[in-house]
PDB file of all heavy atoms in Angstrom:
ATOM      1  N   THR A   1       9.300   1.297  23.423  1.00  0.00           N
ATOM      2  CA  THR A   1       9.228   0.616  22.131  1.00  0.00           C
ATOM      3  C   THR A   1       7.770   0.327  21.807  1.00  0.00           C
ATOM      4  O   THR A   1       7.007  -0.102  22.681  1.00  0.00           O
ATOM      5  CB  THR A   1      10.026  -0.696  22.147  1.00  0.00           C
ATOM      6  OG1 THR A   1      11.405  -0.394  22.423  1.00  0.00           O
ATOM      7  CG2 THR A   1       9.931  -1.409  20.805  1.00  0.00           C
ATOM      8  N   LYS A   2       7.387   0.575  20.567  1.00  0.00           N
ATOM      9  CA  LYS A   2       6.022   0.331  20.129  1.00  0.00           C
ATOM     10  C   LYS A   2       6.046  -0.328  18.750  1.00  0.00           C
ATOM     11  O   LYS A   2       6.859   0.024  17.906  1.00  0.00           O
ATOM     12  CB  LYS A   2       5.233   1.643  20.071  1.00  0.00           C
ATOM     13  CG  LYS A   2       3.795   1.428  19.646  1.00  0.00           C
ATOM     14  CD  LYS A   2       2.855   2.641  19.686  1.00  0.00           C
ATOM     15  CE  LYS A   2       3.397   3.979  19.810  1.00  0.00           C
ATOM     16  NZ  LYS A   2       2.354   5.039  19.808  1.00  0.00           N
ATOM     17  N   GLU A   3       5.135  -1.295  18.558  1.00  0.00           N
ATOM     18  CA  GLU A   3       4.991  -1.927  17.242  1.00  0.00           C
ATOM     19  C   GLU A   3       3.755  -1.373  16.549  1.00  0.00           C
ATOM     20  O   GLU A   3       2.684  -1.266  17.155  1.00  0.00           O
ATOM     21  CB  GLU A   3       4.871  -3.446  17.384  1.00  0.00           C
ATOM     22  CG  GLU A   3       6.154  -4.114  17.830  1.00  0.00           C
ATOM     23  CD  GLU A   3       6.031  -5.620  17.855  1.00  0.00           C
ATOM     24  OE1 GLU A   3       4.874  -6.114  17.829  1.00  0.00           O
ATOM     25  OE2 GLU A   3       7.062  -6.307  17.883  1.00  0.00           O
ATOM     26  N   MET A   4       3.899  -1.039  15.268  1.00  0.00           N
ATOM     27  CA  MET A   4       2.786  -0.467  14.513  1.00  0.00           C
ATOM     28  C   MET A   4       2.727  -1.078  13.124  1.00  0.00           C
ATOM     29  O   MET A   4       3.768  -1.390  12.525  1.00  0.00           O
ATOM     30  CB  MET A   4       2.928   1.053  14.402  1.00  0.00           C
ATOM     31  CG  MET A   4       2.905   1.786  15.719  1.00  0.00           C
ATOM     32  SD  MET A   4       2.880   3.587  15.507  1.00  0.00           S
ATOM     33  CE  MET A   4       1.232   3.799  14.841  1.00  0.00           C
ATOM     34  N   PRO A   5       1.499  -1.256  12.585  1.00  0.00           N
ATOM     35  CA  PRO A   5       1.369  -1.768  11.218  1.00  0.00           C
ATOM     36  C   PRO A   5       1.779  -0.711  10.199  1.00  0.00           C
ATOM     37  O   PRO A   5       1.678   0.489  10.465  1.00  0.00           O
ATOM     38  CB  PRO A   5      -0.120  -2.095  11.101  1.00  0.00           C
ATOM     39  CG  PRO A   5      -0.775  -1.170  12.074  1.00  0.00           C
ATOM     40  CD  PRO A   5       0.191  -1.026  13.212  1.00  0.00           C
ATOM     41  N   VAL A   6       2.212  -1.164   9.047  1.00  0.00           N
ATOM     42  CA  VAL A   6       2.595  -0.255   7.961  1.00  0.00           C
ATOM     43  C   VAL A   6       1.404  -0.107   7.018  1.00  0.00           C
ATOM     44  O   VAL A   6       0.909  -1.090   6.465  1.00  0.00           O
ATOM     45  CB  VAL A   6       3.817  -0.789   7.190  1.00  0.00           C
ATOM     46  CG1 VAL A   6       4.198   0.192   6.079  1.00  0.00           C
ATOM     47  CG2 VAL A   6       4.979  -1.007   8.134  1.00  0.00           C
ATOM     48  N   LYS A   7       0.940   1.120   6.855  1.00  0.00           N
ATOM     49  CA  LYS A   7      -0.149   1.391   5.926  1.00  0.00           C
ATOM     50  C   LYS A   7       0.422   1.854   4.594  1.00  0.00           C
ATOM     51  O   LYS A   7       1.485   2.471   4.532  1.00  0.00           O
ATOM     52  CB  LYS A   7      -1.087   2.463   6.491  1.00  0.00           C
ATOM     53  CG  LYS A   7      -1.783   2.033   7.764  1.00  0.00           C
ATOM     54  CD  LYS A   7      -2.762   3.089   8.246  1.00  0.00           C
ATOM     55  CE  LYS A   7      -3.483   2.647   9.512  1.00  0.00           C
ATOM     56  NZ  LYS A   7      -4.437   3.677   9.991  1.00  0.00           N
ATOM     57  N   THR A   8      -0.294   1.547   3.526  1.00  0.00           N
ATOM     58  CA  THR A   8       0.190   1.905   2.190  1.00  0.00           C
ATOM     59  C   THR A   8      -0.679   2.997   1.576  1.00  0.00           C
ATOM     60  O   THR A   8      -1.894   3.046   1.795  1.00  0.00           O
ATOM     61  CB  THR A   8       0.188   0.684   1.257  1.00  0.00           C
ATOM     62  OG1 THR A   8      -1.149   0.162   1.164  1.00  0.00           O
ATOM     63  CG2 THR A   8       1.110  -0.397   1.790  1.00  0.00           C
ATOM     64  N   THR A   9      -0.042   3.866   0.829  1.00  0.00           N
ATOM     65  CA  THR A   9      -0.735   4.928   0.094  1.00  0.00           C
ATOM     66  C   THR A   9      -0.187   4.963  -1.327  1.00  0.00           C
ATOM     67  O   THR A   9       1.028   4.912  -1.531  1.00  0.00           O
ATOM     68  CB  THR A   9      -0.516   6.298   0.757  1.00  0.00           C
ATOM     69  OG1 THR A   9      -1.046   6.261   2.079  1.00  0.00           O
ATOM     70  CG2 THR A   9      -1.228   7.393  -0.026  1.00  0.00           C
ATOM     71  N   LEU A  10      -1.101   5.040  -2.289  1.00  0.00           N
ATOM     72  CA  LEU A  10      -0.714   5.133  -3.694  1.00  0.00           C
ATOM     73  C   LEU A  10      -1.013   6.535  -4.205  1.00  0.00           C
ATOM     74  O   LEU A  10      -2.142   7.019  -4.081  1.00  0.00           O
ATOM     75  CB  LEU A  10      -1.480   4.095  -4.530  1.00  0.00           C
ATOM     76  CG  LEU A  10      -1.338   2.628  -4.087  1.00  0.00           C
ATOM     77  CD1 LEU A  10      -2.181   1.736  -4.979  1.00  0.00           C
ATOM     78  CD2 LEU A  10       0.124   2.195  -4.112  1.00  0.00           C
ATOM     79  N   ASN A  11      -0.007   7.180  -4.757  1.00  0.00           N
ATOM     80  CA  ASN A  11      -0.180   8.500  -5.352  1.00  0.00           C
ATOM     81  C   ASN A  11      -0.295   8.369  -6.867  1.00  0.00           C
ATOM     82  O   ASN A  11       0.354   7.525  -7.474  1.00  0.00           O
ATOM     83  CB  ASN A  11       0.988   9.421  -5.002  1.00  0.00           C
ATOM     84  CG  ASN A  11       0.967   9.847  -3.545  1.00  0.00           C
ATOM     85  OD1 ASN A  11      -0.079   9.804  -2.898  1.00  0.00           O
ATOM     86  ND2 ASN A  11       2.106  10.262  -3.027  1.00  0.00           N
ATOM     87  N   GLY A  12      -1.107   9.240  -7.460  1.00  0.00           N
ATOM     88  CA  GLY A  12      -1.254   9.211  -8.907  1.00  0.00           C
ATOM     89  C   GLY A  12      -2.310   8.211  -9.358  1.00  0.00           C
ATOM     90  O   GLY A  12      -2.935   7.521  -8.556  1.00  0.00           O
ATOM     91  N   ILE A  13      -2.501   8.128 -10.672  1.00  0.00           N
ATOM     92  CA  ILE A  13      -3.513   7.266 -11.277  1.00  0.00           C
ATOM     93  C   ILE A  13      -2.832   6.328 -12.267  1.00  0.00           C
ATOM     94  O   ILE A  13      -2.009   6.757 -13.082  1.00  0.00           O
ATOM     95  CB  ILE A  13      -4.580   8.098 -12.005  1.00  0.00           C
ATOM     96  CG1 ILE A  13      -5.260   9.058 -11.011  1.00  0.00           C
ATOM     97  CG2 ILE A  13      -5.625   7.205 -12.664  1.00  0.00           C
ATOM     98  CD1 ILE A  13      -6.221  10.017 -11.655  1.00  0.00           C
ATOM     99  N   VAL A  14      -3.169   5.040 -12.168  1.00  0.00           N
ATOM    100  CA  VAL A  14      -2.589   4.068 -13.093  1.00  0.00           C
ATOM    101  C   VAL A  14      -3.123   4.329 -14.503  1.00  0.00           C
ATOM    102  O   VAL A  14      -4.017   5.147 -14.712  1.00  0.00           O
ATOM    103  CB  VAL A  14      -2.914   2.620 -12.652  1.00  0.00           C
ATOM    104  CG1 VAL A  14      -2.310   2.340 -11.296  1.00  0.00           C
ATOM    105  CG2 VAL A  14      -4.427   2.397 -12.619  1.00  0.00           C
ATOM    106  N   ALA A  15      -2.594   3.611 -15.474  1.00  0.00           N
ATOM    107  CA  ALA A  15      -2.978   3.805 -16.873  1.00  0.00           C
ATOM    108  C   ALA A  15      -4.479   3.586 -17.063  1.00  0.00           C
ATOM    109  O   ALA A  15      -5.112   2.813 -16.335  1.00  0.00           O
ATOM    110  CB  ALA A  15      -2.182   2.848 -17.759  1.00  0.00           C
ATOM    111  N   ASP A  16      -5.055   4.291 -18.043  1.00  0.00           N
ATOM    112  CA  ASP A  16      -6.486   4.175 -18.331  1.00  0.00           C
ATOM    113  C   ASP A  16      -6.840   2.730 -18.681  1.00  0.00           C
ATOM    114  O   ASP A  16      -6.139   2.075 -19.455  1.00  0.00           O
ATOM    115  CB  ASP A  16      -6.841   5.108 -19.488  1.00  0.00           C
ATOM    116  CG  ASP A  16      -8.336   5.207 -19.693  1.00  0.00           C
ATOM    117  OD1 ASP A  16      -9.076   5.129 -18.703  1.00  0.00           O
ATOM    118  OD2 ASP A  16      -8.771   5.358 -20.861  1.00  0.00           O
ATOM    119  N   GLY A  17      -7.949   2.239 -18.100  1.00  0.00           N
ATOM    120  CA  GLY A  17      -8.363   0.870 -18.351  1.00  0.00           C
ATOM    121  C   GLY A  17      -7.749  -0.135 -17.405  1.00  0.00           C
ATOM    122  O   GLY A  17      -7.961  -1.334 -17.554  1.00  0.00           O
ATOM    123  N   TYR A  18      -7.023   0.358 -16.388  1.00  0.00           N
ATOM    124  CA  TYR A  18      -6.399  -0.517 -15.386  1.00  0.00           C
ATOM    125  C   TYR A  18      -6.736   0.002 -13.989  1.00  0.00           C
ATOM    126  O   TYR A  18      -7.137   1.158 -13.812  1.00  0.00           O
ATOM    127  CB  TYR A  18      -4.877  -0.563 -15.565  1.00  0.00           C
ATOM    128  CG  TYR A  18      -4.451  -1.291 -16.822  1.00  0.00           C
ATOM    129  CD1 TYR A  18      -4.434  -0.637 -18.050  1.00  0.00           C
ATOM    130  CD2 TYR A  18      -4.069  -2.630 -16.780  1.00  0.00           C
ATOM    131  CE1 TYR A  18      -4.053  -1.293 -19.208  1.00  0.00           C
ATOM    132  CE2 TYR A  18      -3.682  -3.299 -17.929  1.00  0.00           C
ATOM    133  CZ  TYR A  18      -3.678  -2.618 -19.141  1.00  0.00           C
ATOM    134  OH  TYR A  18      -3.301  -3.285 -20.279  1.00  0.00           O
ATOM    135  N   ALA A  19      -6.562  -0.864 -13.013  1.00  0.00           N
ATOM    136  CA  ALA A  19      -6.845  -0.484 -11.623  1.00  0.00           C
ATOM    137  C   ALA A  19      -5.870  -1.181 -10.690  1.00  0.00           C
ATOM    138  O   ALA A  19      -5.499  -2.337 -10.921  1.00  0.00           O
ATOM    139  CB  ALA A  19      -8.278  -0.853 -11.243  1.00  0.00           C
ATOM    140  N   PRO A  20      -5.440  -0.473  -9.618  1.00  0.00           N
ATOM    141  CA  PRO A  20      -4.570  -1.118  -8.630  1.00  0.00           C
ATOM    142  C   PRO A  20      -5.370  -2.096  -7.780  1.00  0.00           C
ATOM    143  O   PRO A  20      -6.524  -1.841  -7.439  1.00  0.00           O
ATOM    144  CB  PRO A  20      -4.066   0.064  -7.788  1.00  0.00           C
ATOM    145  CG  PRO A  20      -5.125   1.108  -7.933  1.00  0.00           C
ATOM    146  CD  PRO A  20      -5.699   0.937  -9.311  1.00  0.00           C
ATOM    147  N   GLY A  21      -4.747  -3.205  -7.462  1.00  0.00           N
ATOM    148  CA  GLY A  21      -5.431  -4.221  -6.669  1.00  0.00           C
ATOM    149  C   GLY A  21      -4.821  -4.378  -5.296  1.00  0.00           C
ATOM    150  O   GLY A  21      -4.573  -3.404  -4.590  1.00  0.00           O
ATOM    151  N   ASN A  22      -4.559  -5.609  -4.932  1.00  0.00           N
ATOM    152  CA  ASN A  22      -4.050  -5.910  -3.599  1.00  0.00           C
ATOM    153  C   ASN A  22      -2.619  -5.411  -3.437  1.00  0.00           C
ATOM    154  O   ASN A  22      -1.757  -5.684  -4.266  1.00  0.00           O
ATOM    155  CB  ASN A  22      -4.114  -7.425  -3.372  1.00  0.00           C
ATOM    156  CG  ASN A  22      -3.820  -7.790  -1.938  1.00  0.00           C
ATOM    157  OD1 ASN A  22      -4.153  -7.037  -1.026  1.00  0.00           O
ATOM    158  ND2 ASN A  22      -3.202  -8.931  -1.731  1.00  0.00           N
ATOM    159  N   CYS A  23      -2.396  -4.651  -2.372  1.00  0.00           N
ATOM    160  CA  CYS A  23      -1.066  -4.107  -2.090  1.00  0.00           C
ATOM    161  C   CYS A  23      -0.543  -4.724  -0.796  1.00  0.00           C
ATOM    162  O   CYS A  23      -1.209  -4.670   0.239  1.00  0.00           O
ATOM    163  CB  CYS A  23      -1.125  -2.587  -1.961  1.00  0.00           C
ATOM    164  SG  CYS A  23       0.493  -1.812  -1.780  1.00  0.00           S
ATOM    165  N   VAL A  24       0.659  -5.305  -0.855  1.00  0.00           N
ATOM    166  CA  VAL A  24       1.239  -5.991   0.306  1.00  0.00           C
ATOM    167  C   VAL A  24       2.607  -5.390   0.601  1.00  0.00           C
ATOM    168  O   VAL A  24       3.413  -5.179  -0.316  1.00  0.00           O
ATOM    169  CB  VAL A  24       1.369  -7.505   0.046  1.00  0.00           C
ATOM    170  CG1 VAL A  24       2.035  -8.188   1.231  1.00  0.00           C
ATOM    171  CG2 VAL A  24       0.000  -8.115  -0.230  1.00  0.00           C
ATOM    172  N   VAL A  25       2.863  -5.103   1.892  1.00  0.00           N
ATOM    173  CA  VAL A  25       4.186  -4.617   2.285  1.00  0.00           C
ATOM    174  C   VAL A  25       4.843  -5.641   3.201  1.00  0.00           C
ATOM    175  O   VAL A  25       4.178  -6.300   4.005  1.00  0.00           O
ATOM    176  CB  VAL A  25       4.104  -3.255   3.007  1.00  0.00           C
ATOM    177  CG1 VAL A  25       3.749  -2.164   2.058  1.00  0.00           C
ATOM    178  CG2 VAL A  25       3.129  -3.313   4.173  1.00  0.00           C
ATOM    179  N   THR A  26       6.163  -5.767   3.039  1.00  0.00           N
ATOM    180  CA  THR A  26       6.944  -6.695   3.861  1.00  0.00           C
ATOM    181  C   THR A  26       8.190  -5.976   4.365  1.00  0.00           C
ATOM    182  O   THR A  26       8.957  -5.443   3.559  1.00  0.00           O
ATOM    183  CB  THR A  26       7.365  -7.930   3.042  1.00  0.00           C
ATOM    184  OG1 THR A  26       6.196  -8.522   2.454  1.00  0.00           O
ATOM    185  CG2 THR A  26       8.044  -8.943   3.927  1.00  0.00           C
ATOM    186  N   PRO A  27       8.391  -5.910   5.700  1.00  0.00           N
ATOM    187  CA  PRO A  27       7.486  -6.376   6.758  1.00  0.00           C
ATOM    188  C   PRO A  27       6.269  -5.463   6.879  1.00  0.00           C
ATOM    189  O   PRO A  27       6.328  -4.292   6.503  1.00  0.00           O
ATOM    190  CB  PRO A  27       8.357  -6.296   8.013  1.00  0.00           C
ATOM    191  CG  PRO A  27       9.319  -5.191   7.710  1.00  0.00           C
ATOM    192  CD  PRO A  27       9.629  -5.284   6.251  1.00  0.00           C
ATOM    193  N   ASN A  28       5.195  -6.000   7.412  1.00  0.00           N
ATOM    194  CA  ASN A  28       3.977  -5.197   7.556  1.00  0.00           C
ATOM    195  C   ASN A  28       3.812  -4.637   8.968  1.00  0.00           C
ATOM    196  O   ASN A  28       2.851  -3.928   9.235  1.00  0.00           O
ATOM    197  CB  ASN A  28       2.741  -6.014   7.174  1.00  0.00           C
ATOM    198  CG  ASN A  28       2.573  -7.242   8.058  1.00  0.00           C
ATOM    199  OD1 ASN A  28       3.448  -7.574   8.844  1.00  0.00           O
ATOM    200  ND2 ASN A  28       1.446  -7.906   7.924  1.00  0.00           N
TER     201      ASN A  28
END
């Protein structure tokens, strides 16, 4: 058994004039 953190990846580009910020996953 091994415990590992969950990493996040965002695909694509948000709408023009906006930006993705803090991303949180639960459980992490």
Side-chain angles (χ1 to χ4, degrees):
T1 299
K2 181 174 14 179
E3 290 184 344
M4 298 187 69
V6 181
K7 297 183 179 180
T8 59
T9 299
L10 304 178
N11 288 338
I13 301 174
V14 298
D16 189 33
Y18 291 83
N22 189 33
C23 186
V24 177
V25 289
T26 306
N28 61 351

